[in-house]
Amino acid sequence: MPEQETRSVLEFKPSAIHGLGAFAAAPIRAGTLVIEYAGERVSKAESTRRCETGNTSIFELDEDWDVDGNAGWNPARFLNHSCAPNCDAELIEGHIWIVARRDIAPGEELTFNYGYDWEDYRQHVCHCGAAACVGYIVAEEFFESFRARKPIGLPTS
Ligand SMILES: [Zn+2]
């Protein structure tokens, strides 16, 4: 695993998007593994149980395991969702890493797409402020349908 210099690179402070956010304290180059999305490794059954209690910090790891980012020391949970994110969440050797999509300048807030399914989209209104914001926190694969208002029941206003 690459050396983690997260603490000197990231600054956690109030964000215009939501709650606390993670901001670049120094330039971050595209492709940098910025921070691990750490947490408790839980079985699918346990993960389903926790999701039903409203835990929105669960990440799919593989077919058998998920990671609950709400449990334990995981400052990566402060990264906000954006419809035009500057980071991606990638699965690398069994760990979830937040990876810079592009060069990030000091002071920029770090964001990634939470990748939510669209089923419960109404509960997850997006305030990312991006010009291309689709209005809800959903995975990129659904953006086109959201913009075209295709899914049944989507608001038209
Ligand atoms: Zn948005």
Tab-separated table of all heavy atoms in Angstrom, residues 23-54:
chain	number	residue	atom	x	y	z
A	23	PHE	N	-10.806	19.353	2.534
A	23	PHE	CA	-10.238	20.320	1.596
A	23	PHE	C	-8.758	20.044	1.408
A	23	PHE	O	-8.072	19.622	2.345
A	23	PHE	CB	-10.445	21.744	2.125
A	23	PHE	CG	-11.892	22.160	2.191
A	23	PHE	CD1	-12.703	21.718	3.231
A	23	PHE	CD2	-12.449	22.953	1.200
A	23	PHE	CE1	-14.040	22.080	3.293
A	23	PHE	CE2	-13.791	23.333	1.254
A	23	PHE	CZ	-14.587	22.897	2.296
A	24	ALA	N	-8.275	20.322	0.187
A	24	ALA	CA	-6.850	20.133	-0.084
A	24	ALA	C	-6.064	21.221	0.644
A	24	ALA	O	-6.350	22.406	0.506
A	24	ALA	CB	-6.597	20.202	-1.586
A	25	ALA	N	-5.081	20.807	1.436
A	25	ALA	CA	-4.219	21.759	2.130
A	25	ALA	C	-2.943	21.984	1.322
A	25	ALA	O	-2.148	22.871	1.622
A	25	ALA	CB	-3.890	21.246	3.529
A	26	ALA	N	-2.758	21.175	0.298
A	26	ALA	CA	-1.589	21.260	-0.582
A	26	ALA	C	-2.023	20.752	-1.938
A	26	ALA	O	-3.064	20.085	-2.045
A	26	ALA	CB	-0.456	20.400	-0.008
A	27	PRO	N	-1.264	21.039	-2.997
A	27	PRO	CA	-1.668	20.523	-4.314
A	27	PRO	C	-1.686	18.995	-4.310
A	27	PRO	O	-0.807	18.367	-3.731
A	27	PRO	CB	-0.565	21.040	-5.257
A	27	PRO	CG	0.129	22.118	-4.515
A	27	PRO	CD	-0.016	21.808	-3.062
A	28	ILE	N	-2.702	18.430	-4.936
A	28	ILE	CA	-2.817	16.967	-5.043
A	28	ILE	C	-2.830	16.617	-6.525
A	28	ILE	O	-3.640	17.150	-7.280
A	28	ILE	CB	-4.112	16.469	-4.358
A	28	ILE	CG1	-4.083	16.814	-2.857
A	28	ILE	CG2	-4.286	14.966	-4.564
A	28	ILE	CD1	-5.392	16.514	-2.127
A	29	ARG	N	-1.912	15.761	-6.924
A	29	ARG	CA	-1.820	15.398	-8.343
A	29	ARG	C	-2.865	14.368	-8.734
A	29	ARG	O	-3.233	13.503	-7.928
A	29	ARG	CB	-0.436	14.832	-8.657
A	29	ARG	CG	0.603	15.905	-8.922
A	29	ARG	CD	1.772	15.331	-9.720
A	29	ARG	NE	2.227	14.052	-9.173
A	29	ARG	CZ	3.200	13.934	-8.273
A	29	ARG	NH1	3.819	15.003	-7.830
A	29	ARG	NH2	3.577	12.758	-7.827
A	30	ALA	N	-3.321	14.436	-9.992
A	30	ALA	CA	-4.252	13.436	-10.514
A	30	ALA	C	-3.679	12.047	-10.296
A	30	ALA	O	-2.480	11.829	-10.486
A	30	ALA	CB	-4.493	13.676	-12.003
A	31	GLY	N	-4.504	11.114	-9.875
A	31	GLY	CA	-4.060	9.745	-9.679
A	31	GLY	C	-3.570	9.445	-8.268
A	31	GLY	O	-3.315	8.291	-7.934
A	32	THR	N	-3.454	10.487	-7.429
A	32	THR	CA	-2.996	10.277	-6.046
A	32	THR	C	-4.037	9.501	-5.244
A	32	THR	O	-5.229	9.802	-5.319
A	32	THR	CB	-2.756	11.635	-5.345
A	32	THR	OG1	-1.786	12.363	-6.089
A	32	THR	CG2	-2.280	11.452	-3.905
A	33	LEU	N	-3.585	8.503	-4.501
A	33	LEU	CA	-4.457	7.820	-3.552
A	33	LEU	C	-4.520	8.694	-2.313
A	33	LEU	O	-3.596	8.714	-1.501
A	33	LEU	CB	-3.914	6.428	-3.216
A	33	LEU	CG	-4.283	5.306	-4.190
A	33	LEU	CD1	-3.765	5.575	-5.585
A	33	LEU	CD2	-3.784	3.964	-3.692
A	34	VAL	N	-5.588	9.457	-2.192
A	34	VAL	CA	-5.642	10.529	-1.205
A	34	VAL	C	-5.868	9.993	0.202
A	34	VAL	O	-5.173	10.368	1.143
A	34	VAL	CB	-6.747	11.551	-1.557
A	34	VAL	CG1	-6.746	12.695	-0.553
A	34	VAL	CG2	-6.556	12.083	-2.964
A	35	ILE	N	-6.862	9.142	0.351
A	35	ILE	CA	-7.195	8.645	1.681
A	35	ILE	C	-7.970	7.348	1.529
A	35	ILE	O	-8.735	7.183	0.577
A	35	ILE	CB	-8.008	9.707	2.471
A	35	ILE	CG1	-8.289	9.259	3.900
A	35	ILE	CG2	-9.314	10.067	1.764
A	35	ILE	CD1	-8.909	10.356	4.777
A	36	GLU	N	-7.748	6.445	2.461
A	36	GLU	CA	-8.517	5.203	2.418
A	36	GLU	C	-9.878	5.427	3.056
A	36	GLU	O	-9.993	6.098	4.079
A	36	GLU	CB	-7.790	4.070	3.159
A	36	GLU	CG	-8.591	2.760	3.058
A	36	GLU	CD	-7.928	1.569	3.753
A	36	GLU	OE1	-6.802	1.729	4.271
A	36	GLU	OE2	-8.555	0.503	3.783
A	37	TYR	N	-10.904	4.877	2.411
A	37	TYR	CA	-12.229	4.876	3.029
A	37	TYR	C	-12.256	3.667	3.957
A	37	TYR	O	-12.554	2.551	3.557
A	37	TYR	CB	-13.321	4.801	1.960
A	37	TYR	CG	-14.698	5.085	2.512
A	37	TYR	CD1	-15.222	6.371	2.516
A	37	TYR	CD2	-15.462	4.055	3.050
A	37	TYR	CE1	-16.473	6.630	3.046
A	37	TYR	CE2	-16.718	4.311	3.584
A	37	TYR	CZ	-17.218	5.600	3.567
A	37	TYR	OH	-18.461	5.855	4.094
A	38	ALA	N	-11.880	3.912	5.198
A	38	ALA	CA	-11.714	2.823	6.152
A	38	ALA	C	-13.018	2.565	6.890
A	38	ALA	O	-13.960	3.352	6.813
A	38	ALA	CB	-10.618	3.172	7.147
A	39	GLY	N	-13.060	1.474	7.590
A	39	GLY	CA	-14.248	1.172	8.373
A	39	GLY	C	-14.259	-0.267	8.792
A	39	GLY	O	-13.275	-0.979	8.640
A	40	GLU	N	-15.393	-0.660	9.313
A	40	GLU	CA	-15.539	-2.026	9.779
A	40	GLU	C	-15.990	-2.902	8.622
A	40	GLU	O	-16.897	-2.553	7.875
A	40	GLU	CB	-16.588	-2.061	10.894
A	40	GLU	CG	-16.711	-3.398	11.575
A	40	GLU	CD	-17.866	-3.409	12.586
A	40	GLU	OE1	-18.377	-2.329	12.927
A	40	GLU	OE2	-18.249	-4.503	13.006
A	41	ARG	N	-15.319	-4.043	8.455
A	41	ARG	CA	-15.706	-4.992	7.425
A	41	ARG	C	-16.902	-5.782	7.946
A	41	ARG	O	-16.831	-6.405	9.000
A	41	ARG	CB	-14.513	-5.919	7.163
A	41	ARG	CG	-14.594	-6.694	5.887
A	41	ARG	CD	-13.301	-7.429	5.663
A	41	ARG	NE	-12.323	-6.561	5.032
A	41	ARG	CZ	-11.703	-6.859	3.880
A	41	ARG	NH1	-11.918	-8.024	3.310
A	41	ARG	NH2	-10.858	-6.023	3.344
A	42	VAL	N	-18.011	-5.716	7.217
A	42	VAL	CA	-19.217	-6.404	7.685
A	42	VAL	C	-19.775	-7.316	6.592
A	42	VAL	O	-19.592	-7.060	5.408
A	42	VAL	CB	-20.314	-5.398	8.129
A	42	VAL	CG1	-19.893	-4.644	9.379
A	42	VAL	CG2	-20.662	-4.423	7.016
A	43	SER	N	-20.468	-8.360	7.032
A	43	SER	CA	-21.088	-9.291	6.083
A	43	SER	C	-22.259	-8.600	5.393
A	43	SER	O	-22.746	-7.571	5.851
A	43	SER	CB	-21.598	-10.523	6.831
A	43	SER	OG	-22.677	-10.146	7.676
A	44	LYS	N	-22.712	-9.171	4.290
A	44	LYS	CA	-23.850	-8.598	3.568
A	44	LYS	C	-25.099	-8.522	4.447
A	44	LYS	O	-25.838	-7.547	4.396
A	44	LYS	CB	-24.160	-9.422	2.320
A	44	LYS	CG	-23.099	-9.344	1.247
A	44	LYS	CD	-23.076	-7.985	0.583
A	44	LYS	CE	-21.960	-7.942	-0.459
A	44	LYS	NZ	-21.697	-6.585	-0.938
A	45	ALA	N	-25.317	-9.569	5.262
A	45	ALA	CA	-26.501	-9.592	6.119
A	45	ALA	C	-26.448	-8.450	7.127
A	45	ALA	O	-27.421	-7.720	7.327
A	45	ALA	CB	-26.600	-10.935	6.838
A	46	GLU	N	-25.266	-8.274	7.725
A	46	GLU	CA	-25.095	-7.207	8.708
A	46	GLU	C	-25.213	-5.845	8.025
A	46	GLU	O	-25.799	-4.900	8.559
A	46	GLU	CB	-23.731	-7.357	9.405
A	46	GLU	CG	-23.395	-6.280	10.423
A	46	GLU	CD	-24.377	-6.200	11.591
A	46	GLU	OE1	-25.180	-7.123	11.774
A	46	GLU	OE2	-24.334	-5.174	12.309
A	47	SER	N	-24.670	-5.747	6.841
A	47	SER	CA	-24.708	-4.505	6.082
A	47	SER	C	-26.151	-4.107	5.746
A	47	SER	O	-26.548	-2.951	5.879
A	47	SER	CB	-23.864	-4.693	4.825
A	47	SER	OG	-24.315	-3.903	3.783
A	48	THR	N	-26.953	-5.105	5.338
A	48	THR	CA	-28.365	-4.850	5.035
A	48	THR	C	-29.080	-4.349	6.283
A	48	THR	O	-29.844	-3.378	6.229
A	48	THR	CB	-29.039	-6.145	4.532
A	48	THR	OG1	-28.309	-6.608	3.392
A	48	THR	CG2	-30.482	-5.909	4.152
A	49	ARG	N	-28.776	-4.992	7.424
A	49	ARG	CA	-29.402	-4.589	8.677
A	49	ARG	C	-29.056	-3.132	9.003
A	49	ARG	O	-29.908	-2.333	9.372
A	49	ARG	CB	-28.924	-5.515	9.810
A	49	ARG	CG	-29.765	-5.455	11.075
A	49	ARG	CD	-29.108	-6.189	12.238
A	49	ARG	NE	-27.844	-5.594	12.667
A	49	ARG	CZ	-27.740	-4.476	13.374
A	49	ARG	NH1	-28.818	-3.822	13.727
A	49	ARG	NH2	-26.549	-3.984	13.713
A	50	ARG	N	-27.771	-2.784	8.828
A	50	ARG	CA	-27.344	-1.423	9.147
A	50	ARG	C	-27.927	-0.401	8.181
A	50	ARG	O	-28.260	0.713	8.562
A	50	ARG	CB	-25.817	-1.339	9.146
A	50	ARG	CG	-25.213	-2.119	10.306
A	50	ARG	CD	-23.707	-1.947	10.390
A	50	ARG	NE	-23.163	-2.845	11.402
A	50	ARG	CZ	-21.910	-2.795	11.841
A	50	ARG	NH1	-21.071	-1.899	11.353
A	50	ARG	NH2	-21.488	-3.633	12.760
A	51	CYS	N	-28.050	-0.772	6.899
A	51	CYS	CA	-28.638	0.144	5.911
A	51	CYS	C	-30.086	0.449	6.282
A	51	CYS	O	-30.550	1.577	6.126
A	51	CYS	CB	-28.590	-0.458	4.509
A	51	CYS	SG	-26.968	-0.371	3.753
A	52	GLU	N	-30.766	-0.578	6.801
A	52	GLU	CA	-32.166	-0.398	7.173
A	52	GLU	C	-32.320	0.536	8.361
A	52	GLU	O	-33.391	1.083	8.600
A	52	GLU	CB	-32.824	-1.762	7.460
A	52	GLU	CG	-33.163	-2.481	6.161
A	52	GLU	CD	-33.501	-3.960	6.362
A	52	GLU	OE1	-33.418	-4.444	7.515
A	52	GLU	OE2	-33.823	-4.617	5.359
A	53	THR	N	-31.265	0.741	9.132
A	53	THR	CA	-31.336	1.681	10.254
A	53	THR	C	-30.923	3.085	9.805
A	53	THR	O	-30.768	3.987	10.616
A	53	THR	CB	-30.433	1.241	11.430
A	53	THR	OG1	-29.058	1.338	11.002
A	53	THR	CG2	-30.727	-0.168	11.884
A	54	GLY	N	-30.719	3.266	8.506
A	54	GLY	CA	-30.425	4.602	7.994
A	54	GLY	C	-28.948	4.915	7.851
A	54	GLY	O	-28.564	6.062	7.624
